[in-house]
Amino acid sequence: MLRSLVGSEMCIRDSLMALNDAASRTTADLTQYPVLPWVLSVYDEVHVELDNMVYFRDLSKPVGALTTQRREDVRSRYHEWLDDITPPFHFGTHYSTSAVVMYFLVRVQPFTQYSIAYQGGRLDVADRLFHSVQEAWISCSGASGRDVKELIPEFFSVPDFVANTNKVVLGSRRDGTVLDDVQLPPWACGSAERFVFINREALESDAVSASLHLWIDLIFGSKQRGEEAVDACNVFHHLTYEDGLERAMTHALEEEDRKAIVASVDNFGLTPKQLFKVAHPRRGVSLAPPRQDLFLAATTMLTKRPTTPAFPDTQCSGEPIVGLQEAEGMGPMLCASTTSYRTTRNKPGQHFVVDMSRSLVVNFRAKDQGMSVLPPIEALGLGHCTVFANSASGNFVFMGTSKGRIVVQSRATWAGRFAITNVLHLRYPSRINMLVTLPNGLLLASTQSNSYLVLWHVSKRGADRCFAVNVSMASIPDPTPVKVACRVPSCMNGFLVGKERSLYILTRSGEVVCGVHMDSAPQQLPNVSCIASMDFSNHSPINIACCGHIDGTLSFWSIVTYTAPNARSMYGLSFHSAISVDTSPIMAVHCDTGAGALSITVGCKSGSCYVLTVPQQAEGSYDA
């Protein structure tokens, strides 16, 4: 892991999350929530320049000691310590506590309820709630105050936490201001998506890369404890350290004393485990271009060879391949789903047999041992099944119908029987023509009569509609319905959507940020049949989308990131190149962007399957 952290193989956010994981920090524990740094220092200007160090925070110093005055104050406090029982410390509060997490996430459930319980049945007074990013930064970094909060991962990935979507009653401040959405910096242009986008780009910038190792020393490394911590003004209350907490628990004589110590953890927080005893090496700057650029340069040289994926049943060999995915226990071999046989990622020994003509779905496991016949839906007046999808675990199945309904069926265990648990209704009901399941319980759906795309979050507790958006742009004449959809690369946090003649990028909240028409390509491209994105572990201003076409062509599109202050959009799509793979429509694309050789596996309507790889002479440049 250290090699990835020091090198550029892994983006900075993923590197920091890996360090948090190694230090036993997890989002499942509010007292040990992952901690990330404030990276920008300007929250009151219209523009930020990510190539200008003036706009960045000094990562070599704790957030509570960024100014000369604060450093002098905390040093004096430490060296003039008079308490003979409690060891001296610079800060009585901590940069990561359960209260910090609830402060930032008070508008999002279940953290709203956590905050209410923490405050004894009501939210804290409005003047102490998270209201403004600029105010929070000034409180943490200014010359006055004792606030030393660092940030949480949501600042770099989840825009929802700054919007009061749940309409939580947060109260009014003493100046009469009614709290609602968080006040964002002017450079966010009022957009939560852009706020998170700029934060993420700043985190991945060269300015942060050059000094990140100094912050790692403070939080996880050599300046966390001992004399180096004293010199760096980085000593916290002794109960925030693992050994100090264990020592206090050991010497506690009464159960009430132990409970008091545990309760203090909520107030003082917990310092992460010390991962490094010596100074962390500086993150290297790769002399080679990003892997995304290298792959795009090699697209016209890709070599093609036929391959045979793992089919759920020998009878489906030769059927149109509609899905390709990695599966547990299958090694590098991919599992294929066909028009009548669907595999499950987490239980590759199970599969579903789908008969659209009879709206019949049967769940099988290995050796054709039938497990259950899913309840029929046509007899319920919901229409006949037009499209089918299942979750990775196989415990949820979704059946889109001719009447615009999505029937959700689930089971308690992988060996249980299915039962109808929900029926989802679209705003404009018509024949469902697309269902796409995504991680974390997300379901994308579209109909054949309009351009609307609907996102649902489905769980055993029910289903919530996240957005319903008309996927269109005035500059792109394509009135056809949404045909295919997938996630964009994880660093972008959104969706890639395809119609017959166009591609679009949507944010997590459903905002259409850019699009491109097939006619913009310098060569003639037929209608779109499937799409996929290539998710690289390293960060780059350019990412890649793959688009399959009905004539067997596979096209590659650049997803360009725009961070300039005058940029009209966060992203842009542009054609890069195309190659011919087969003569039948491409129905499934799987991209492998792991540490080894990059490859793309393509499944076709003819039942053929091919692997496209970078030739060896071009592959060598990845190791440069």
Side-chain angles (χ1 to χ4, degrees), residues 124-244:
D124 201 356
V125 296
D127 290 273
R128 290 201 292 262
L129 295 178
F130 183 34
H131 170 60
S132 162
V133 176
Q134 182 184 359
E135 283 185 7
W137 165 249
I138 292 174
S139 177
C140 296
S141 64
S144 61
R146 300 177 180 178
D147 194 358
V148 294
K149 298 185 201 64
E150 288 283 13
L151 298 185
I152 56 177
E154 284 78 1
F155 271 79
F156 307 93
S157 58
V158 183
D160 308 46
F161 83 100
V162 297
N164 190 18
T165 307
N166 295 325
K167 299 303 177 184
V168 179
V169 179
L170 301 169
S172 301
R173 310 181 100 190
R174 282 177 292 181
D175 61 4
T177 302
V178 179
L179 267 63
D180 193 21
D181 295 343
V182 175
Q183 290 184 357
L184 301 177
W187 47 256
C189 303
S191 167
E193 300 279 356
R194 184 166 181 82
F195 171 69
V196 169
F197 168 75
I198 294 295
N199 266 336
R200 178 65 185 266
E201 291 300 312
L203 181 66
E204 303 292 344
S205 67
D206 291 340
V208 172
S209 183
S211 57
L212 180 66
H213 61 291
L214 302 173
W215 185 83
I216 292 175
D217 287 340
L218 295 170
I219 308 300
F220 303 103
S222 60
K223 295 182 181 179
Q224 187 197 83
R225 304 186 187 193
E227 288 302 317
E228 288 193 60
V230 175
D231 294 340
C233 298
N234 195 41
V235 179
F236 296 85
H237 193 280
H238 70 284
L239 290 181
T240 67
Y241 298 96
E242 188 177 27
D243 52 355

Side-chain angles (χ1 to χ4, degrees), residues 267-280:
N267 295 321
F268 294 118
L270 281 174
T271 301
K273 290 183 178 179
Q274 188 175 22
L275 301 179
F276 310 105
K277 301 290 187 180
V278 297
H280 194 277

Side-chain angles (χ1 to χ4, degrees), residues 327-339:
E328 292 181 1
M330 300 298 292
M333 181 176 289
L334 297 178
C335 285
S337 291
T338 67
T339 50

Side-chain angles (χ1 to χ4, degrees), residues 14 38 81 93 118 220 230 244 348 499 503 506 509 539 557 569:
D14 289 351
W38 289 92
W81 194 260
T93 56
Y118 186 79
F220 303 103
V230 175
K499 296 184 178 183
L503 298 177
L506 275 63
S509 60
H539 186 267
W557 300 78
S569 175

Side-chain angles (χ1 to χ4, degrees), residues 3-26:
R3 179 182 176 184
S4 298
L5 297 176
V6 176
S8 56
E9 295 89 351
M10 187 185 296
C11 66
I12 291 179
R13 181 186 179 277
D14 289 351
S15 299
L16 292 176
M17 292 303 291
L19 285 177
N20 275 282
D21 185 60
S24 300
R25 313 291 290 191
T26 170

Side-chain angles (χ1 to χ4, degrees), residues 356-371:
M356 292 294 188
S357 63
R358 295 190 296 160
S359 296
L360 177 66
V361 178
V362 184
N363 182 215
F364 279 92
R365 61 182 172 189
K367 300 181 181 178
D368 287 338
Q369 295 177 342
M371 299 183 68

